[in-house]
Amino acid sequence: MLKVSNLSKYYRDVKAVDGASFFVNNGEVAVLVGPNGAGKSTTIQSIVGILRFDGKVTIDDHDNRSLAAKQLLAYVPEIPSMYPLLTVREHIEFMSLAYGFDIDNDKIDALLHRFELFDKQDKLGNELSKGMMQKVSICCSLVVDPEVIILDEPMVGLDPTAIKELKQLILELKNDNKCILISTHMMEMVDSLWDRLILMKEGKILSNATKAEVGDQDLEALFFDLLKDDETVGVEYE
Ligand code: ADP
């Protein structure tokens, strides 16, 4: 389970996130949405430990700065970055070793096949297209069997086959009781996936509600409705 409690972040005098609190349960796909500048990236970068912040973030009750939390958490950044002199396969092997796992060749083969990277496994990081980097980044996050997975704009730059596989994988992770948080502008891409809507505006959480709580509307309509009224919906959580 992911819990964010009273998260605030200033960039000099800009308050990018203002006391944000929300949670994502195991077995849930949460979407983090909001207009540009709402504070989504800052929130995600705080959760994954890239930024310092005020407040508390826990992963299965472990403080997000602890090793125990980091071992449970995987992150697919919006802009993937590769090691220029590691091959595709070596990236995934390296991630397995960094998380303290043995290299599982069958598992790596399956991921490479799934994302149509098997015949590209010997390409170097600096030889990859943006879409290929994104797919490697997704494979790296999945090979470590995370309990909580954070995906920042994961569909951008992916081809239709990869989008289909990723959606299927997200549903498999959910059925496996994992906790998934997706930040995205591409609401039509996650409409069939989401269980919980976390809406941010001006650094604050406007909604943290399940599909059952907000009704069976499509996500885009709901987004505009909630923003129009500045309506707060869902569970208050400190
Ligand atoms: P979102 O991801 O929802 O578009 P961000 O978290 O990127 O929002 O930004 C939230 C606010 O923080 C915006 O006002 C943005 O201009 C500001 N901001 C983001 N990053 C920085 C930074 N590195 N330095 C100064 N201000 C920043």
Side-chain angles (χ1 to χ4, degrees), residues 9 11-12 14-17 34-43 78 183 185 200 203:
K9 173 70 186 175
Y11 296 106
R12 296 211 175 86
V14 176
K15 196 162 199 180
V17 180
N36 289 333
K40 305 181 297 295
S41 298
T42 304
T43 300
E78 183 176 5
S183 172
H185 286 110
M200 283 192 89

Side-chain angles (χ1 to χ4, degrees), residues 29-82:
V29 178
V31 287
L32 177 62
V33 296
N36 289 333
K40 305 181 297 295
S41 298
T42 304
T43 300
I44 284 193
Q45 289 178 19
S46 302
I47 294 171
V48 301
I50 294 173
L51 289 176
R52 288 172 198 273
F53 59 93
D54 294 321
K56 191 167 174 68
V57 173
T58 58
I59 312 290
D60 285 359
D61 292 330
H62 302 288
D63 187 283
N64 75 322
R65 299 172 189 95
S66 67
L67 188 58
K70 288 179 200 296
Q71 281 173 331
L72 297 172
L73 178 71
Y75 168 49
V76 179
E78 183 176 5
I79 300 166
S81 60
M82 299 285 109

